[in-house]
mmCIF file of all heavy atoms in Angstrom:
data_model
loop_
_atom_site.group_PDB
_atom_site.id
_atom_site.type_symbol
_atom_site.label_atom_id
_atom_site.label_comp_id
_atom_site.label_asym_id
_atom_site.label_seq_id
_atom_site.Cartn_x
_atom_site.Cartn_y
_atom_site.Cartn_z
ATOM 1 N N ASP E 1 3.233 3.690 3.026
ATOM 2 C CA ASP E 1 1.919 3.089 3.032
ATOM 3 C C ASP E 1 0.981 3.735 2.077
ATOM 4 O O ASP E 1 -0.308 3.357 1.944
ATOM 5 C CB ASP E 1 1.343 3.051 4.355
ATOM 6 C CG ASP E 1 0.995 4.590 4.810
ATOM 7 O OD1 ASP E 1 1.363 5.506 4.237
ATOM 8 O OD2 ASP E 1 0.251 4.695 5.862
ATOM 9 N N ALA E 2 1.349 4.560 1.177
ATOM 10 C CA ALA E 2 0.654 5.291 0.120
ATOM 11 C C ALA E 2 1.461 5.804 -0.962
ATOM 12 O O ALA E 2 2.666 6.116 -0.638
ATOM 13 C CB ALA E 2 -0.357 6.335 0.801
ATOM 14 N N ALA E 3 0.876 5.899 -2.138
ATOM 15 C CA ALA E 3 1.767 6.421 -3.244
ATOM 16 C C ALA E 3 0.965 7.244 -4.054
ATOM 17 O O ALA E 3 -0.279 7.340 -4.217
ATOM 18 C CB ALA E 3 2.150 5.257 -4.156
ATOM 19 N N ILE E 4 1.578 8.396 -4.569
ATOM 20 C CA ILE E 4 1.124 9.443 -5.557
ATOM 21 C C ILE E 4 1.861 9.291 -6.750
ATOM 22 O O ILE E 4 3.163 9.436 -6.757
ATOM 23 C CB ILE E 4 1.182 10.820 -5.040
ATOM 24 C CG1 ILE E 4 0.287 10.924 -3.684
ATOM 25 C CG2 ILE E 4 0.415 11.768 -5.976
ATOM 26 C CD1 ILE E 4 0.241 12.311 -3.075
ATOM 27 N N HIS E 5 1.280 8.831 -7.786
ATOM 28 C CA HIS E 5 2.022 8.423 -9.047
ATOM 29 C C HIS E 5 1.965 9.453 -10.209
ATOM 30 O O HIS E 5 0.946 9.542 -10.835
ATOM 31 C CB HIS E 5 1.505 7.036 -9.531
ATOM 32 C CG HIS E 5 2.050 6.491 -10.778
ATOM 33 N ND1 HIS E 5 3.440 6.712 -11.147
ATOM 34 C CD2 HIS E 5 1.543 5.722 -11.741
ATOM 35 C CE1 HIS E 5 3.639 6.179 -12.265
ATOM 36 N NE2 HIS E 5 2.495 5.519 -12.634
ATOM 37 N N PHE E 6 3.061 10.156 -10.380
ATOM 38 C CA PHE E 6 3.102 11.074 -11.527
ATOM 39 C C PHE E 6 3.991 10.580 -12.692
ATOM 40 O O PHE E 6 3.716 11.005 -13.787
ATOM 41 C CB PHE E 6 3.807 12.445 -11.038
ATOM 42 C CG PHE E 6 2.931 13.078 -10.029
ATOM 43 C CD1 PHE E 6 3.273 12.982 -8.653
ATOM 44 C CD2 PHE E 6 1.915 13.946 -10.311
ATOM 45 C CE1 PHE E 6 2.526 13.727 -7.687
ATOM 46 C CE2 PHE E 6 1.198 14.651 -9.467
ATOM 47 C CZ PHE E 6 1.518 14.537 -8.079
ATOM 48 N N ALA E 7 4.970 9.746 -12.316
ATOM 49 C CA ALA E 7 5.967 9.363 -13.246
ATOM 50 C C ALA E 7 5.407 8.907 -14.654
ATOM 51 O O ALA E 7 4.901 7.911 -14.859
ATOM 52 C CB ALA E 7 6.978 8.274 -12.716
ATOM 53 N N ALA E 8 5.691 9.646 -15.634
ATOM 54 C CA ALA E 8 5.209 9.375 -17.100
ATOM 55 C C ALA E 8 5.729 10.487 -18.062
ATOM 56 O O ALA E 8 5.983 11.612 -17.662
ATOM 57 C CB ALA E 8 3.670 9.461 -17.178
ATOM 58 N N TYR E 9 5.791 9.984 -19.228
ATOM 59 C CA TYR E 9 5.969 10.968 -20.370
ATOM 60 C C TYR E 9 4.593 11.628 -20.664
ATOM 61 O O TYR E 9 3.634 11.012 -20.505
ATOM 62 C CB TYR E 9 6.469 10.361 -21.576
ATOM 63 C CG TYR E 9 7.827 9.702 -21.498
ATOM 64 C CD1 TYR E 9 8.135 8.463 -22.103
ATOM 65 C CD2 TYR E 9 8.898 10.425 -20.754
ATOM 66 C CE1 TYR E 9 9.312 7.869 -22.011
ATOM 67 C CE2 TYR E 9 10.041 9.790 -20.759
ATOM 68 C CZ TYR E 9 10.362 8.557 -21.307
ATOM 69 O OH TYR E 9 11.687 8.026 -21.194
ATOM 70 N N LYS E 10 4.576 12.930 -20.974
ATOM 71 C CA LYS E 10 3.402 13.530 -21.060
ATOM 72 C C LYS E 10 3.011 14.604 -22.129
ATOM 73 O O LYS E 10 2.236 15.490 -21.997
ATOM 74 C CB LYS E 10 3.114 14.330 -19.643
ATOM 75 C CG LYS E 10 4.016 15.472 -19.337
ATOM 76 C CD LYS E 10 3.752 16.188 -18.134
ATOM 77 C CE LYS E 10 4.127 17.531 -18.082
ATOM 78 N NZ LYS E 10 3.454 18.402 -18.942
ATOM 79 N N ALA E 11 3.610 14.406 -23.229
ATOM 80 C CA ALA E 11 3.434 15.369 -24.300
ATOM 81 C C ALA E 11 2.553 14.665 -25.469
ATOM 82 O O ALA E 11 3.078 13.726 -26.064
ATOM 83 C CB ALA E 11 4.799 15.767 -25.006
ATOM 84 N N PRO E 12 1.377 15.056 -25.600
ATOM 85 C CA PRO E 12 0.404 14.302 -26.538
ATOM 86 C C PRO E 12 1.050 14.277 -28.029
ATOM 87 O O PRO E 12 1.049 13.214 -28.710
ATOM 88 C CB PRO E 12 -0.763 15.284 -26.611
ATOM 89 C CG PRO E 12 -0.758 15.777 -25.215
ATOM 90 C CD PRO E 12 0.651 16.137 -24.847
ATOM 91 N N GLY E 13 1.630 15.473 -28.465
ATOM 92 C CA GLY E 13 2.251 15.406 -29.793
ATOM 93 C C GLY E 13 3.351 14.316 -29.898
ATOM 94 O O GLY E 13 3.520 13.726 -30.942
ATOM 95 N N GLU E 14 4.267 14.421 -28.918
ATOM 96 C CA GLU E 14 5.279 13.570 -28.952
ATOM 97 C C GLU E 14 4.892 11.967 -28.873
ATOM 98 O O GLU E 14 5.510 11.112 -29.586
ATOM 99 C CB GLU E 14 6.285 13.811 -27.810
ATOM 100 C CG GLU E 14 7.485 12.874 -27.637
ATOM 101 C CD GLU E 14 8.169 12.976 -26.280
ATOM 102 O OE1 GLU E 14 7.642 12.748 -25.274
ATOM 103 O OE2 GLU E 14 9.466 13.268 -26.446
ATOM 104 N N SER E 15 3.838 11.813 -28.164
ATOM 105 C CA SER E 15 3.264 10.373 -28.076
ATOM 106 C C SER E 15 2.737 9.832 -29.461
ATOM 107 O O SER E 15 2.877 8.788 -29.685
ATOM 108 C CB SER E 15 2.173 10.352 -27.056
ATOM 109 O OG SER E 15 0.927 10.880 -27.562
ATOM 110 N N MET E 16 2.387 10.743 -30.254
ATOM 111 C CA MET E 16 1.870 10.349 -31.672
ATOM 112 C C MET E 16 3.100 10.057 -32.492
ATOM 113 O O MET E 16 2.870 9.241 -33.651
ATOM 114 C CB MET E 16 1.073 11.415 -32.190
ATOM 115 C CG MET E 16 -0.189 11.835 -31.468
ATOM 116 S SD MET E 16 -1.371 10.537 -31.220
ATOM 117 C CE MET E 16 -2.109 10.478 -32.813
ATOM 118 N N GLN E 17 4.253 10.560 -32.343
ATOM 119 C CA GLN E 17 5.423 10.206 -33.026
ATOM 120 C C GLN E 17 6.194 8.993 -32.350
ATOM 121 O O GLN E 17 6.971 8.364 -33.130
ATOM 122 C CB GLN E 17 6.370 11.464 -32.997
ATOM 123 C CG GLN E 17 5.708 12.680 -33.628
ATOM 124 C CD GLN E 17 6.529 14.024 -33.382
ATOM 125 O OE1 GLN E 17 7.391 14.004 -32.606
ATOM 126 N NE2 GLN E 17 6.108 15.030 -34.012
ATOM 127 N N ALA E 18 6.158 8.715 -31.105
ATOM 128 C CA ALA E 18 6.793 7.670 -30.446
ATOM 129 C C ALA E 18 5.966 6.820 -29.687
ATOM 130 O O ALA E 18 6.116 6.889 -28.305
ATOM 131 C CB ALA E 18 8.008 8.368 -29.704
ATOM 132 N N PRO E 19 4.901 6.225 -30.136
ATOM 133 C CA PRO E 19 3.943 5.619 -29.358
ATOM 134 C C PRO E 19 4.551 4.512 -28.479
ATOM 135 O O PRO E 19 4.208 4.213 -27.292
ATOM 136 C CB PRO E 19 2.914 4.995 -30.409
ATOM 137 C CG PRO E 19 3.558 5.023 -31.635
ATOM 138 C CD PRO E 19 4.683 6.225 -31.623
ATOM 139 N N GLY E 20 5.585 3.752 -29.025
ATOM 140 C CA GLY E 20 6.064 2.564 -28.348
ATOM 141 C C GLY E 20 6.699 2.989 -27.030
ATOM 142 O O GLY E 20 6.738 2.418 -25.937
ATOM 143 N N ARG E 21 7.421 4.248 -27.063
ATOM 144 C CA ARG E 21 8.000 4.833 -25.956
ATOM 145 C C ARG E 21 7.040 5.139 -24.787
ATOM 146 O O ARG E 21 7.247 4.804 -23.667
ATOM 147 C CB ARG E 21 8.837 6.037 -26.369
ATOM 148 C CG ARG E 21 9.767 6.631 -25.227
ATOM 149 C CD ARG E 21 10.372 7.833 -25.757
ATOM 150 N NE ARG E 21 11.361 8.287 -24.921
ATOM 151 C CZ ARG E 21 11.967 9.520 -24.842
ATOM 152 N NH1 ARG E 21 11.430 10.485 -25.587
ATOM 153 N NH2 ARG E 21 12.882 9.845 -24.019
ATOM 154 N N TYR E 22 5.848 5.616 -25.313
ATOM 155 C CA TYR E 22 4.886 5.958 -24.322
ATOM 156 C C TYR E 22 4.241 4.809 -23.666
ATOM 157 O O TYR E 22 3.969 4.753 -22.468
ATOM 158 C CB TYR E 22 3.916 6.970 -24.940
ATOM 159 C CG TYR E 22 4.226 8.383 -24.897
ATOM 160 C CD1 TYR E 22 5.307 8.826 -25.442
ATOM 161 C CD2 TYR E 22 3.529 9.384 -23.965
ATOM 162 C CE1 TYR E 22 5.781 10.065 -25.420
ATOM 163 C CE2 TYR E 22 3.988 10.643 -23.831
ATOM 164 C CZ TYR E 22 5.134 11.079 -24.610
ATOM 165 O OH TYR E 22 5.456 12.368 -24.486
ATOM 166 N N PHE E 23 3.838 3.854 -24.495
ATOM 167 C CA PHE E 23 3.272 2.509 -23.970
ATOM 168 C C PHE E 23 4.337 1.797 -22.902
ATOM 169 O O PHE E 23 3.832 1.376 -21.932
ATOM 170 C CB PHE E 23 2.877 1.593 -24.992
ATOM 171 C CG PHE E 23 1.593 2.042 -25.794
ATOM 172 C CD1 PHE E 23 1.647 2.264 -27.095
ATOM 173 C CD2 PHE E 23 0.427 2.372 -25.009
ATOM 174 C CE1 PHE E 23 0.414 2.751 -27.836
ATOM 175 C CE2 PHE E 23 -0.714 2.613 -25.693
ATOM 176 C CZ PHE E 23 -0.737 2.887 -27.081
ATOM 177 N N ALA E 24 5.542 1.872 -23.368
ATOM 178 C CA ALA E 24 6.450 1.158 -22.617
ATOM 179 C C ALA E 24 6.682 1.740 -21.134
ATOM 180 O O ALA E 24 6.639 1.231 -20.094
ATOM 181 C CB ALA E 24 7.928 1.101 -23.187
ATOM 182 N N ASN E 25 6.729 3.105 -21.146
ATOM 183 C CA ASN E 25 7.085 3.965 -19.958
ATOM 184 C C ASN E 25 5.709 4.050 -19.135
ATOM 185 O O ASN E 25 5.700 3.747 -17.964
ATOM 186 C CB ASN E 25 7.557 5.281 -20.284
ATOM 187 C CG ASN E 25 8.041 6.029 -19.053
ATOM 188 O OD1 ASN E 25 8.995 5.531 -18.295
ATOM 189 N ND2 ASN E 25 7.391 7.140 -18.699
ATOM 190 N N ASN E 26 4.651 4.680 -19.727
ATOM 191 C CA ASN E 26 3.411 5.035 -19.102
ATOM 192 C C ASN E 26 2.631 3.812 -18.664
ATOM 193 O O ASN E 26 2.053 3.887 -17.573
ATOM 194 C CB ASN E 26 2.688 6.036 -19.940
ATOM 195 C CG ASN E 26 3.354 7.456 -20.087
ATOM 196 O OD1 ASN E 26 4.521 7.460 -19.869
ATOM 197 N ND2 ASN E 26 2.633 8.183 -20.565
ATOM 198 N N VAL E 27 2.531 2.843 -19.488
ATOM 199 C CA VAL E 27 1.649 1.628 -19.243
ATOM 200 C C VAL E 27 2.513 0.500 -18.540
ATOM 201 O O VAL E 27 2.169 0.113 -17.505
ATOM 202 C CB VAL E 27 1.019 1.199 -20.507
ATOM 203 C CG1 VAL E 27 0.090 -0.085 -20.143
ATOM 204 C CG2 VAL E 27 0.142 2.327 -21.125
ATOM 205 N N THR E 28 3.557 0.025 -19.203
ATOM 206 C CA THR E 28 4.254 -1.130 -18.706
ATOM 207 C C THR E 28 4.906 -0.730 -17.378
ATOM 208 O O THR E 28 4.784 -1.520 -16.419
ATOM 209 C CB THR E 28 5.293 -1.654 -19.732
ATOM 210 O OG1 THR E 28 4.651 -2.041 -20.891
ATOM 211 C CG2 THR E 28 6.011 -2.845 -19.078
ATOM 212 N N GLY E 29 5.456 0.356 -17.370
ATOM 213 C CA GLY E 29 6.275 0.909 -16.067
ATOM 214 C C GLY E 29 5.273 1.048 -14.999
ATOM 215 O O GLY E 29 5.521 0.644 -13.917
ATOM 216 N N SER E 30 4.071 1.603 -15.217
ATOM 217 C CA SER E 30 3.063 1.785 -14.234
ATOM 218 C C SER E 30 2.475 0.480 -13.682
ATOM 219 O O SER E 30 2.240 0.339 -12.448
ATOM 220 C CB SER E 30 1.964 2.621 -14.702
ATOM 221 O OG SER E 30 2.297 3.953 -15.008
ATOM 222 N N GLN E 31 2.338 -0.579 -14.705
ATOM 223 C CA GLN E 31 1.744 -1.694 -14.144
ATOM 224 C C GLN E 31 2.812 -2.398 -13.236
ATOM 225 O O GLN E 31 2.367 -3.030 -12.264
ATOM 226 C CB GLN E 31 1.493 -2.701 -15.380
ATOM 227 C CG GLN E 31 0.671 -3.831 -15.077
ATOM 228 C CD GLN E 31 1.494 -4.992 -14.544
ATOM 229 O OE1 GLN E 31 2.729 -5.149 -14.989
ATOM 230 N NE2 GLN E 31 1.044 -5.732 -13.498
ATOM 231 N N VAL E 32 4.182 -2.353 -13.589
ATOM 232 C CA VAL E 32 5.062 -2.998 -12.609
ATOM 233 C C VAL E 32 5.119 -2.257 -11.351
ATOM 234 O O VAL E 32 5.140 -2.792 -10.333
ATOM 235 C CB VAL E 32 6.460 -2.885 -13.327
ATOM 236 C CG1 VAL E 32 7.522 -3.223 -12.242
ATOM 237 C CG2 VAL E 32 6.626 -3.709 -14.620
ATOM 238 N N LEU E 33 4.993 -0.933 -11.362
ATOM 239 C CA LEU E 33 4.863 -0.049 -10.113
ATOM 240 C C LEU E 33 3.742 -0.633 -9.308
ATOM 241 O O LEU E 33 3.819 -0.879 -8.062
ATOM 242 C CB LEU E 33 4.791 1.330 -10.342
ATOM 243 C CG LEU E 33 4.403 2.266 -9.213
ATOM 244 C CD1 LEU E 33 5.672 2.363 -8.222
ATOM 245 C CD2 LEU E 33 3.983 3.631 -9.719
ATOM 246 N N ILE E 34 2.508 -0.604 -9.892
ATOM 247 C CA ILE E 34 1.238 -0.929 -9.073
ATOM 248 C C ILE E 34 1.470 -2.447 -8.502
ATOM 249 O O ILE E 34 1.001 -2.539 -7.370
ATOM 250 C CB ILE E 34 0.088 -0.746 -10.073
ATOM 251 C CG1 ILE E 34 -0.108 0.732 -10.390
ATOM 252 C CG2 ILE E 34 -1.218 -1.218 -9.277
ATOM 253 C CD1 ILE E 34 -0.961 0.997 -11.582
ATOM 254 N N GLU E 35 1.919 -3.281 -9.366
ATOM 255 C CA GLU E 35 2.016 -4.622 -8.886
ATOM 256 C C GLU E 35 3.006 -4.769 -7.687
ATOM 257 O O GLU E 35 2.751 -5.474 -6.651
ATOM 258 C CB GLU E 35 2.498 -5.495 -10.108
ATOM 259 C CG GLU E 35 2.921 -6.938 -9.604
ATOM 260 C CD GLU E 35 1.719 -7.766 -9.302
ATOM 261 O OE1 GLU E 35 0.555 -7.534 -9.503
ATOM 262 O OE2 GLU E 35 1.878 -8.924 -8.615
#
């Protein structure tokens, strides 16, 4: 009945080298989860 959401990639430097990976996992994945 409640969620605490941590699942994400979390390295700022890596995110600048692989932005697509971060948007796919952290954003698209989170939106699917929340929905």
Side-chain angles (χ1 to χ4, degrees):
D1 70 343
I4 303 180
H5 176 33
F6 295 100
Y9 296 140
K10 66 179 205 69
E14 180 187 60
S15 77
M16 302 296 283
Q17 299 167 354
R21 189 180 192 200
Y22 272 68
F23 285 123
N25 186 67
N26 293 12
V27 179
T28 304
S30 293
Q31 191 278 322
V32 171
L33 171 73
I34 295 162
E35 173 69 13

